[in-house]
Amino acid sequence: MSRVFSGIQPSGELHIGNYLGAVKNWVTLQSEFECIFCIVDLHAITQPYEPAELEARTLEMATSLLAAGIDPERSTLFVQSHVPEHAELAWVFNIVAPLGELERMTQFKEKAARQESVPAGLLNYPVLQAADILLYRAERVPVGEDQLQHLELAREIARRWNARFGRDFFPEPQAMLSPATRIMGLDGAAKMSKSLGNTIGVLESPEAIWEKLRPAMTDPARKTRRDPGNPDICNIYRLHQFFSAPAEVTMVAEQCRSAGWGCLDCKRVLADNMIAALAPVRERAAALAARPAYVREVLAAGAARARRIAGAVMGEVRQRMGFLPAGV
Ligand code: TRP
């Protein structure tokens, strides 16, 4: 069974963009692959963050992932900083990672442009990501389109390390593109993202979901209730495609084009379907909230399992690179 690895930042609660774009797919992959899922706190600290919030955000992300259907009986779920080998392998990879390519990474350039003083950690972010994947010699990596460049670099790093230190030791990991990429935020203007405040959390109450959907952006050209709308450019219609049954999606498009429904009518149907689809996630989260120690236990067991693999791979890496073994 080939091994899958993926990571998610500890941003706190999962939103429907993360859920549709990544985690829902992870849940499905569990029945076909050996899956390792990692909450990447060492990546999160490369951008300005609040130390007092990191712990809670990490736990909240773990809780959301379990609520969304990550099954610790079948998959390994752990926190990156609990397995020190990630940082160790990233350091080793820094000596084969091409500086020019790191500087050309789109995400690096975008993030660097937003910061006054650019930390080297931001430049080396994709090196750590390569280490995450290769530490488990994972062959497949479910990611969104925005991570394809990082994955290409991980393959390059694997090739270069292999060429220098050990033929075919690291497999070249392949991306598995998630079926739903780039879920737009409620503003309809940018990708859904916690930092932009345009999200709906998977654990939000039915009332909160409605309060957020009600003012959400639709077809900007539809000025009044009587104007026909164009579903193809409406973000609410796009969300219908993920949450509503096919027959309903067809009806929504017809009602929009004929101005049979107003945008609020359309949003009400979406809200109902979204609330129903997320209900099991909310229920599991409530059950988890009643057992606060359980999430930490899952993460501890996950880290122990991850460390067993990581330790063995790192041992081989040290040997192939010629380090003096510790001890006598
Ligand atoms: N950079 C990824 C993101 O922001 C998160 C990540 C870190 C990751 N390490 C990874 C994804 C390893 C896949 C594999 O989404």
Side-chain angles (χ1 to χ4, degrees), residues 161-175:
W161 191 93
N162 285 347
R164 173 103 173 77
F165 300 109
R167 299 191 61 201
D168 298 331
F169 182 67
F170 289 116
E172 286 183 36
Q174 303 298 317

Side-chain angles (χ1 to χ4, degrees), residues 5-7 9 40 43 125 129 132-133 141 143 147 150:
F5 183 99
S6 200
Q9 299 229 8
V40 293
H43 279 105
Y125 178 114
Q129 184 164 345
D132 294 343
I133 300 162
V141 185
V143 283
Q147 296 297 317
H150 288 168

